[in-house]
């Protein structure tokens, strides 16, 4: 019988959960959400090219409460994924690996995504008149 080799367990089983670990998973989830949101974006482009009736159907959906939640979620996923990408770029350049820097970058991506999404929607409502 071969000797037993002690291999490390998955970090999810042995490490204490950190915000950086959770945001890494959220980054992957927002990447998947962007694929689904791209279908909505394609629908918008097709409806725009198809004429007033098709565009009115799209507007009816995106003006409903569920449509607005989906579009808001897509907006947040897009902004959060972008800011997390910047965080990963900083790491790829060899910076921000200290515990304090890593935590700061992670919190900045999380809070920045939320704040920028809300600000973008406020500006859109102010410019668009709530439409």
């Amino acid at each position: 019988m071969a000797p037993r080799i002690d291999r490390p367990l998955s970090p999810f089983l042995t490490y204490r959960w950190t915000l950086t670990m959770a945001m890494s998973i959220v980054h992957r989830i927002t990447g998947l959400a962007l694929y689904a949101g791209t279908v909505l974006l394609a629908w918008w482009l097709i409806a725009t090219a198809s004429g007033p009736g098709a565009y009115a159907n799209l507007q009816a959906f995106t003006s409903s409460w569920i449509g607005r939640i989906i579009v808001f979620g897509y907006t947040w996923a897009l902004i959060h994924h972008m800011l997390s990408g910047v965080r990963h770029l900083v790491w790829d350049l060899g910076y921000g690996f200290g515990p304090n820097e890593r935590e700061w970058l992670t919190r900045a991506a999380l809070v920045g995504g939320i704040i920028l999404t809300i600000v973008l929607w406020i500006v859109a409502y102010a410019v668009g008149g709530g439409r």
Side-chain angles (χ1 to χ4, degrees):
M1 185 167 164
R4 182 170 184 256
I5 300 172
D6 288 328
R7 294 187 179 149
L9 296 173
S10 169
F12 302 112
L13 299 175
T14 59
Y15 295 167
R16 181 181 65 81
W17 273 88
T18 64
L19 182 61
T20 305
M21 291 168 76
M23 288 300 102
S24 178
I25 293 169
V26 170
H27 180 73
R28 287 166 176 81
I29 292 169
T30 57
L32 290 172
L34 292 179
Y35 281 108
T38 301
V39 172
L40 183 65
L41 182 59
W43 182 19
W44 176 71
L45 290 171
I46 292 167
T48 302
S50 297
Y55 191 74
N57 288 336
L58 171 77
Q59 284 298 100
F61 172 74
T62 56
S63 297
S64 70
W65 66 272
I66 190 72
R68 287 185 190 214
I69 289 173
I70 290 171
V71 174
F72 184 85
Y74 178 70
T75 307
W76 173 79
L78 186 63
I79 292 173
H80 177 80
H81 197 78
M82 178 194 64
L83 292 177
S84 278
V86 170
R87 175 176 56 116
H88 282 275
L89 176 63
V90 169
W91 289 342
D92 288 344
L93 294 173
Y95 301 104
F97 287 113
N100 292 335
E101 294 90 3
R102 188 178 61 240
E103 193 73 14
W104 185 89
L105 284 170
T106 302
R107 288 182 192 276
L110 176 62
V111 173
I114 293 167
I115 289 173
L116 287 175
T117 301
I118 292 169
V119 167
L120 181 66
W121 273 69
I122 289 171
V123 168
Y125 266 82
V127 170
R131 289 179 274 149

